Amino acid sequence: MMGAVVKPTIGIIGTGAIGGFYGVMLARAGFDVHFLLRSEFSAVTERGLQVNSAQHGELTLNPVQAYSSAADMPPCDWLLVGAKTTSNADLAPAIIQAAAPNAKVLVLQNGLDVEDSLRECLPDSLHVLGGLCYICVHREGPGVITHQALGAVNIGYHSGPVTSEQSRSAISEEGADLFRAAGIDSQPMPNLHQARWQKLVWNIPYNGLSVLLGAGTTSLMADTDSRELIKALMAEVVQGAIACGHQVPQGYAEHLFMMTEKMPDYWPSMYHDFLHKRPLELGAIYARPLAAAKAAGCEMPRIEALCQSLRFIDRRNR
């Protein structure tokens, strides 16, 4: 048949809220999607994956191509890493086992430089990309995901066997096309590092304050003091980004603040980690940006105080 497009094989490494949601959407769009699961393997093989989405309705994927070991997965052209940054060191062997030659590894995680630790453990032949997920989604239970709002994924090339700007951007575009085919808004990003700093403008205040104050976005946005604190934290992130040589569009923090006012009540992922006594992602979301800003001569005292409070909470919680 002339002009038939061969759809890539997609592997999901870490089928939590993020990996589960995007994996289900891609599978429903006709892609060949394979899910690596640990604790939820038996629940998902029995009942499938369920996404309760305010936007797309009730979605069920059953049967699921589920695996408890990466060694059993077919060679995947794209690997979407949805696991927490706290487990990155352990993920590399699974990624290597599931990767087709020259596979593209898309890291769908929050924080700064999250690709670096994975890159060190992966062969040079694999492409590493970063994906920024603008989405309100959380795990309700084994194989059950609640999707409240948004969903866009922006993709940037991090490192790998291609060096020309044109080739890097073509691979980012190819990744964005996968998501678009599944009805998800997706844009390639020329500067991944800058985009990660911009995303921290939201993640640093809301993730940490949800844990520190035990509040979702609606409560945080309804109180004068927490609103002022959010604005002040956002302003520090912007200063840090600029000190590190990145551009932040004029009015960007205000835009995110206004967007959050319109969102349904959302409890960020760090709150869910705290609730389930999982390690908090403090390295990627707080320690690295603080260190990078400090190295550029910029102090972020409010963020530092928030990080110290969260470290105490994290140690006591576990």
Side-chain angles (χ1 to χ4, degrees):
M1 200 168 79
M2 290 295 289
V5 178
V6 178
K7 284 194 171 173
T9 303
I10 299 172
I12 309 289
I13 306 288
T15 307
I18 292 283
F21 174 77
Y22 291 115
V24 167
M25 293 297 285
L26 288 160
R28 287 173 59 86
F31 288 99
D32 182 22
V33 186
H34 301 265
F35 296 82
L36 180 65
L37 295 124
R38 298 251 154 84
S39 57
E40 300 188 7
F41 175 73
S42 57
V44 170
T45 27
E46 278 168 40
R47 297 190 295 276
L49 279 167
Q50 190 185 340
V51 175
N52 303 320
S53 170
Q55 205 174 333
H56 309 287
E58 308 265 315
L59 312 177
T60 304
L61 183 65
N62 196 9
V64 173
Q65 303 190 98
Y67 306 82
S68 56
S69 161
D72 300 332
M73 295 173 76
C76 297
D77 307 304
W78 280 86
L79 287 163
L80 276 48
V81 180
K84 294 282 169 190
T85 54
T86 45
S87 60
N88 271 5
D90 313 325
L91 293 176
I95 291 171
I96 292 165
Q97 283 182 311
N102 296 108
K104 287 96 177 175
V105 180
L106 177 61
V107 183
L108 301 175
Q109 296 175 330
N110 279 324
L112 201 60
D113 300 331
V114 291
E115 299 82 9
D116 294 3
S117 57
L118 263 182
R119 174 77 273 173
E120 289 163 14
C121 315
L122 296 178
D124 295 342
S125 61
L126 297 182
H127 305 270
V128 173
L129 296 94
L132 278 69
C133 306
Y134 296 89
I135 188 168
C136 298
V137 69
H138 66 272
R139 253 180 86 262
E140 202 64 66
V144 182
I145 297 153
T146 297
H147 170 229
Q148 289 174 277
L150 309 172
V153 183
N154 291 347
I155 296 173
Y157 194 91
H158 177 268
S159 56
V162 300
T163 47
S164 84
E165 209 49 61
Q166 197 177 358
S167 308
R168 291 161 66 104
S169 114
I171 291 172
S172 302
E173 189 68 56
E174 187 189 325
D177 283 341
L178 293 183
F179 288 99
R180 291 181 196 138
I184 291 158
D185 180 33
S186 186
Q187 304 298 327
M189 299 174 299
N191 186 334
L192 176 61
H193 201 68
Q194 179 166 298
R196 286 216 168 273
W197 263 107
Q198 290 177 6
K199 187 142 194 288
L200 288 168
V201 177
W202 195 93
N203 276 319
I204 282 178
Y206 291 102
N207 269 290
L209 292 179
S210 72
V211 173
L212 191 63
L213 304 178
T217 53
T218 300
S219 304
L220 290 171
M221 298 304 283
D223 183 272
T224 316
D225 283 307
S226 48
R227 284 172 73 89
E228 290 307 311
L229 185 51
I230 289 161
K231 284 180 177 167
L233 286 162
M234 283 182 159
E236 278 191 0
V237 185
V238 171
Q239 284 169 335
I242 291 167
C244 291
H246 299 298
Q247 291 177 334
V248 179
Q250 194 67 40
Y252 184 72
E254 291 80 359
H255 161 71
L256 292 183
F257 192 81
M258 301 290 283
M259 184 190 82
T260 310
E261 286 204 296
K262 297 189 184 88
M263 267 168 35
D265 189 27
Y266 180 58
W267 294 75
S269 59
M270 193 172 280
Y271 181 82
H272 292 279
D273 289 339
F274 165 72
L275 197 62
H276 296 288
K277 298 196 182 305
R278 294 189 289 257
L280 304 183
E281 297 184 280
L282 302 179
I285 296 177
Y286 294 93
R288 279 181 219 150
L290 278 164
K294 190 167 271 186
C298 173
E299 296 290 331
M300 302 190 292
R302 283 187 179 86
I303 296 170
E304 192 147 4
L306 178 55
C307 180
Q308 288 166 326
S309 309
L310 291 167
R311 280 198 184 119
F312 172 83
I313 289 171
D314 188 36
R315 281 192 290 264
R316 195 169 65 165
N317 194 36
R318 290 193 285 141

